[in-house]
Amino acid sequence: MFGFMLSLLALGYFMTQLNLYFTIALLCLWGGAAAILFIALQSYVIKTAQQHAQGAVAIYVAIFNASIGLGALGSAQLLRYLPFNHILQLLALGSILGLYCIRKAEQAHSVANHAISHRTD
């Protein structure tokens, strides 16, 4: 998530000042981080769902595809009003918010598992 956020911030803030090779490197970092993030999230869904993994993965894929469509639609609308580098900056801020939500979900999951393990003891 950090690589995803870092590449978007760098592209958004320094787009006009970057040379071609640095831009390509940032795009590779962005693509690699995105791929790792998607695989990590799917692995988390499978691990969490356990015996219901097949249905959970189907829901994950549906949400993932809907998110791609909504992101494309939203970005296309934003391009009417904002320059491209501002959209990248908004995406970086959105990834910061996503990272915060993931951390909060991990904390809640950890607290719930701790409470359950103490009840069964």
Side-chain angles (χ1 to χ4, degrees), residues 1-107:
M1 191 72 158
F2 184 74
F4 191 75
M5 178 184 51
L6 178 67
S7 61
L8 287 172
L9 278 173
L11 285 168
Y13 282 105
F14 304 112
M15 179 183 284
T16 58
Q17 301 159 351
L18 298 175
N19 67 29
L20 176 64
Y21 299 110
F22 198 66
T23 302
I24 290 171
L26 285 172
L27 289 174
C28 288
L29 174 63
W30 176 58
I36 291 168
L37 178 64
F38 303 147
I39 291 169
L41 287 173
Q42 187 170 11
S43 297
Y44 179 76
V45 166
I46 291 169
K47 179 182 168 189
T48 304
Q50 295 176 359
Q51 70 251 16
H52 305 292
Q54 189 174 6
V57 169
I59 292 169
Y60 171 80
V61 169
I63 292 170
F64 180 82
N65 287 326
S67 297
I68 291 172
L70 288 172
L73 179 63
S75 295
Q77 298 305 313
L78 284 175
L79 275 172
R80 293 175 158 184
Y81 307 105
L82 295 173
F84 184 65
N85 64 321
H86 288 142
I87 293 173
L88 290 174
Q89 292 167 5
L90 284 173
L91 290 171
L93 292 174
S95 66
I96 292 169
L97 178 63
L99 185 58
Y100 174 78
C101 290
I102 289 170
R103 287 284 181 206
K104 285 298 193 185
E106 283 178 344
Q107 289 172 352

